[in-house]
Every structure is written in C-alpha cells, then in structure tokens.
C-alpha cells in the first residue's frame, strides 16, 4: 500500500536561500531512491520560510529505508540550525 506524507518545515527568514539549496539537494537525491513515487517541495504562498514536502512512497518499507539515507541525515543536520520550529510530519494511506 502506498504511503502518503506531508512534512511541514518553518525556516528562519534569514536562511531562506540556504534552506532552498539544502532542499534542492534533498529532493534531487531522494527522487532517485527505489520506491519514491513523488517528492515535491512546495513553498507556502503566504508565509515566508514555510515549506512542505509532499511525498508518495511505494510502501512503508521504502520510506523506512529513506530515513537512513545519507542525504536525508545530512539535510536534517544542516537544516536544524536554520529552523524556527521542529518539523511536523503527517503520514497516511489513501482511503478514497
């Protein structure tokens, strides 16, 4: 069963250019992973520094493997100093 994920990030406005660079690398590398069906970065149109990752994984197992990838671990390490708050992550399965 496909796993849908929305991850919400809020970055300090002083770091927006750096944040986008980190996201670009993360998205590029993640899209190469087996089981990644969608991985898109969205910037909130009304709130500067607020970004969404819209993810679709072939399975929970594929997403679990993603969590151990170096590019994701590097992103988490580098982004943590730039963020205003912790990341919110919502996971679910399509019901209709």
């Amino acid at each position: 069963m496909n796993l849908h994920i929305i991850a919400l990030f809020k970055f300090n406005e002083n770091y927006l250019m750096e944040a986008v660079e980190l996201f670009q690398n993360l998205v590029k590398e993640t899209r190469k992973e087996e089981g990644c069906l969608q991985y898109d970065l969205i910037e909130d149109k009304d709130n500067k520094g607020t970004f969404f990752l819209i993810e679709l994984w072939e399975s929970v197992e594929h997403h679990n493997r993603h969590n151990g990838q170096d590019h994701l671990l590097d992103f988490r390490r580098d982004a943590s100093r730039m963020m205003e708050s912790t990341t919110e992550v919502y996971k679910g399965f399509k019901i209709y």
Side-chain angles (χ1 to χ4, degrees):
M1 180 175 282
N2 291 349
L3 177 65
H4 295 256
I5 299 174
I6 298 174
L8 170 66
F9 302 82
K10 293 184 181 180
F11 280 83
N12 182 305
E13 286 190 40
N14 297 331
Y15 296 108
L16 294 184
M17 295 303 291
E18 289 175 69
V20 169
E21 287 179 22
L22 289 175
F23 274 123
Q24 286 174 334
N25 184 63
L26 175 64
V27 170
K28 181 181 77 168
E29 294 302 317
T30 299
R31 286 179 175 168
K32 297 175 187 176
E33 291 181 47
E34 182 181 341
C36 178
L37 303 176
Q38 178 183 357
Y39 204 84
D40 295 327
L41 176 64
I42 310 296
E43 183 176 15
D44 188 286
K45 72 177 194 67
D46 296 321
N47 299 295
K48 269 281 195 235
T50 300
F51 299 91
F52 303 88
L53 279 175
I54 308 298
E55 306 176 37
L56 179 59
W57 293 91
E58 193 174 316
S59 69
V60 172
E61 292 77 19
H62 286 99
H63 180 257
N64 288 343
R65 275 181 264 175
H66 166 67
N67 282 329
Q69 297 295 316
D70 286 342
H71 52 269
L72 179 60
L73 299 174
D74 291 344
F75 173 84
R76 288 177 178 162
R77 181 196 64 227
D78 296 340
S80 64
R81 66 177 178 83
M82 300 182 228
M83 295 180 63
E84 286 186 4
S85 60
T86 58
T87 304
E88 294 180 47
V89 179
Y90 303 91
K91 300 176 185 179
F93 301 107
K94 186 174 180 178
I95 56 173
Y96 183 74

